[in-house]
Amino acid sequence: MRFGYFDNKRREYVIDNPATPRSWTNYLGSTAFGSVITNNAGGYTFYKSAAQGRFLRMPFNSVPMDQPGRYLYLHDHDQKDFWSNSWQPVGKPLSAFKNICRHGTGYTTIASEYKKISSEATYFVPNGKNYECWIVKVKNEDTKHRQLSLFTYVEYASNWNAQDDLINLQYTQYIVNVQAKGNIIDHGTNINLPELPDNFEEKDQGRHTFLAISGALVKGHDTDREAFLGPYRTYANPIVVEEGQCRNSSGVGDNGCGVFQVPLSLAPGEEKSFLVLMGVGAADKEGKAAVADFDTVEKAEQALEEVKQTWHSQLNNFSVDTPDEDFNNFLNTWAPYNCLITNSWSRAASLIYNGERDGLGYRDSVQDVMGTAHLIPEATRERLRLMLSGQVSTGGALPVVKPFAHYPGKMQAPSAEEYRSDDCLWLFNAVPLYVQESGEVDFYKEVIPYADQGEDTVFGHLRRAIMFNLERLGQHGLPCGLLADWNDCLELGQAGETTFVAFQLRHALITYQEIAELLAAPEEAAWAKTELEKVDQNIAENAWDGEWFLRAYRHDGLKFGSQENEEGKIFLNPQVWSIISGYADAQQQEKVLKQVREQLATDFGVMVCAPPFVKTDYTVVRATLMNPGMKENAGIFNHTQGWAIMAEALAGNGDQAYAYFKATNPATYNESAEVRECEPYVVCQSTHSKYSPKYGASRLPWLSGAATWLYYAATQHILGVQPVLEGIKIDPCIPAHWKEFSVQRIFRDKTLHIAYKNPEQVQKGVKSIELNGTTLQGQMIPMELLQDTNNIIITLG
Ligand code: GLC
């Protein structure tokens, strides 16, 4: 069953049936001011942090789904009927109520038609502003005059702190003070305390937000939730909306809300439009300034165009045209958009992440930049600087970097037990990727402080990252697992060892050697080479299980991911990373990929391990905590799907790489959305595997490593457009049935139009490259031969 479709031209996903299996969300704003919005106008808004800057309330995972939100109710004074512009919360029967939601890049439009009144709200955050703008339009499609009132509704957090607002009621219910001042509502908390702009993490300080109406008369207001809703009522039938009359209540203490009544008297065919502005700051100051900024709807429409432009110009840096429409729309819009959103909010703000994980998780955010380097190079460099300054002088990392409260040189280093073994090894993927994209070799020489003490060049930071793991090797000479490696459920401890990190370390040493050679540091290159030989020796002696690679050793020698195990016999990560890190020879590649296909692949993607842990004690593996077939316990962990694709592509299996891609591409399930349940335009952290009764259902949309690696695998390994320092390397690995396809890419300000021809229907192999009419040797397009605009013809064979 489908609930919507892709409008590729407008880069929108259009939901024409609002009764989606789960809330289908979108994001508005920037890292300074962010909003989560659902197809039923549910969701919340925050300043800088979803946890500590939250000012719209959201009780998570409650019923009905995703309430409250940013509602617009309509009351018909003659017919004594009322509804909401979004289908929910009033929820009129869909036979009489038409509703369309268009989720676009940084904006969402929700439009409805009911009893010959059409209404529409477009929600977005104007570039550079700390407030939302809602463009509201109401039109009388009737032949009679219609007398309506429109009511806004937002519900405020009683303190700018998500957790405090929901649980510390004995306090927060006394500190909120919401007052209407003409056409602007001021939502204040702790208003008698000073503001502490330099101490964002202090929750008890004077803070204000505003909600303003611009371009329409206001007839009444309510700022007390209970007065608006009425006792024992819900958002579906607030007393004020039912009666069509505000009570002008004052939200002092208890629960504040933002309700304005806008009377609308509409002649037949007449349309009225106005704006709602809601954001950070006091009514008198920032509120008034916002109304002055947007005193006409035209200005807001212009600002909306600018938001679209900003996003689209980023997305335009890479586009593709292949025979597969779903592949195209994923790569052209939704994957990069997802990568940019994930890069902004890490794992902190969605309908699942409720701010509990505040800030940028180290390993996650370092990987996230891999999806953004060619879209927003400058911001990517800034993010890398920030993350490098979250590395501590031991070479390990802070678990989380909070951009709003990060003081390099002054942070407390984690204790020995708190380190994860993989954190800084992801820098070897992210940093070179940025340098190759930008060509800024000098970035390696830039001096960046450590989080706790001291400073080093980026090159020095990378060396310390390697040292951190080399100083923590176990009895088999493999890296210790510490608190966890990539897999949060493998707590191997100080003495347990991980083969996956061994492959990461191998990749790090090779990369370091290359950088050392580039920077003319032969001693460093020689050092890395020697260490690599040792690591390889230890992998050869201890990581192979006969038919595939082991996953780990516990401190007492107990194996994970071995034929000896009844549960968790085989894990995906070491198999695919043995190929990604360049370790596995052709024979081993063939063997492990076959095992992955036979033991781990499913119709919906590749499982992280199998069979699931059911009997194994939770002190042995934390995955036992989860139901079989879910998340790390033999679920389809989507973060890893890109790696499976890369491994197949590196081994030359284009058809299989593409099959894995298709299995995980959300759009594949647009027509069976009732099975996958989540947004068909968004990747999810994991999908229930065949061991779960909910096989095929995906969970945790937007914020995971899935978008980044999938996008990376598709662009660099399927399409094979690989930025390297000297230029672009072309190394595609495609499904044999693709006869022709093309890519357009901006690379260091040059435009590349790449046309691929595959007359012999091969999966891999570049026969010839023609650059602006000249035939080149090999697979490289050197930088110095590139003009501003380039026509490139690749013939495969
Ligand atoms: C979650 C975490 C990530 C971890 C992964 C596997 O996605 O955010 O850090 O690597 O789970 O356990």
Side-chain angles (χ1 to χ4, degrees), residues 582-784:
Y583 179 84
D585 58 26
Q587 214 186 351
Q588 255 171 344
Q589 291 186 13
E590 204 181 308
K591 267 193 173 172
V592 299
L593 290 174
K594 181 167 172 282
Q595 294 297 339
V596 169
R597 282 179 224 140
E598 287 173 2
Q599 298 195 57
L600 297 174
T602 76
D603 290 348
F604 293 92
V606 188
M607 295 181 286
V608 72
C609 66
F613 295 95
V614 180
K615 296 181 229 157
T616 312
D617 195 86
Y618 76 95
T619 54
V620 176
V621 62
R622 305 288 288 178
T624 304
L625 299 180
M626 283 158 212
N627 289 309
M630 300 185 192
K631 275 193 106 200
E632 284 94 337
N633 195 8
I636 299 163
F637 215 92
N638 291 315
H639 191 143
T640 65
Q641 305 304 303
W643 302 337
I645 295 167
M646 286 163 68
E648 287 288 1
L650 285 163
N653 307 319
D655 284 330
Q656 185 61 54
Y658 176 68
Y660 283 161
F661 178 87
K662 251 189 129 45
T664 193
N665 184 358
T668 304
Y669 307 99
N670 194 49
E671 303 296 319
S672 53
E674 79 286 4
V675 176
R676 188 175 178 270
E677 295 186 356
C678 280
E679 297 89 333
Y681 49 94
V682 186
V683 296
C684 287
Q685 185 209 54
S686 69
T687 302
H688 288 253
S689 81
K690 62 183 184 189
Y691 295 107
S692 157
K694 296 186 176 167
Y695 184 34
S698 287
R699 294 289 179 264
L700 211 164
W702 293 102
L703 308 183
S704 79
T708 294
W709 282 104
L710 203 55
Y711 186 50
Y712 177 82
T715 52
Q716 298 230 4
H717 289 269
I718 295 183
L719 299 169
V721 183
Q722 304 176 352
V724 290
L725 270 179
E726 307 77 36
I728 292 270
K729 187 179 168 200
I730 301 288
D731 193 13
C733 187
I734 55 161
H737 70 269
W738 281 7
K739 284 194 193 154
E740 282 189 0
F741 57 103
S742 64
V743 167
Q744 280 202 53
R745 195 195 201 280
I746 310 288
F747 178 59
R748 299 185 205 158
D749 295 329
K750 311 229 178 270
T751 305
L752 316 182
H753 298 279
I754 312 177
Y756 295 74
K757 301 198 182 313
N758 185 19
E760 292 163 33
Q761 308 225 346
V762 298
Q763 298 177 48
K764 200 178 174 95
V766 173
K767 207 174 195 179
S768 70
I769 300 182
E770 201 185 295
L771 169 67
N772 301 323
T774 310
T775 304
L776 305 178
Q777 293 302 313
Q779 290 176 267
M780 272 296 303
I781 305 177
M783 201 60 221
E784 61 273 14

Side-chain angles (χ1 to χ4, degrees), residues 347 353 357 361 363-364 367 420 422-423 426 485-490 631-632 637 639 643 685 700 703-705:
R347 310 297 178 268
Y353 286 122
R357 283 198 185 184
R363 67 157 86 98
D364 292 335
Q367 291 169 75
R420 292 160 171 86
D422 63 323
D423 276 343
W426 298 107
D485 66 8
W486 169 87
N487 187 327
D488 282 329
C489 291
L490 276 181
K631 275 193 106 200
E632 284 94 337
F637 215 92
H639 191 143
W643 302 337
Q685 185 209 54
L700 211 164
L703 308 183
S704 79

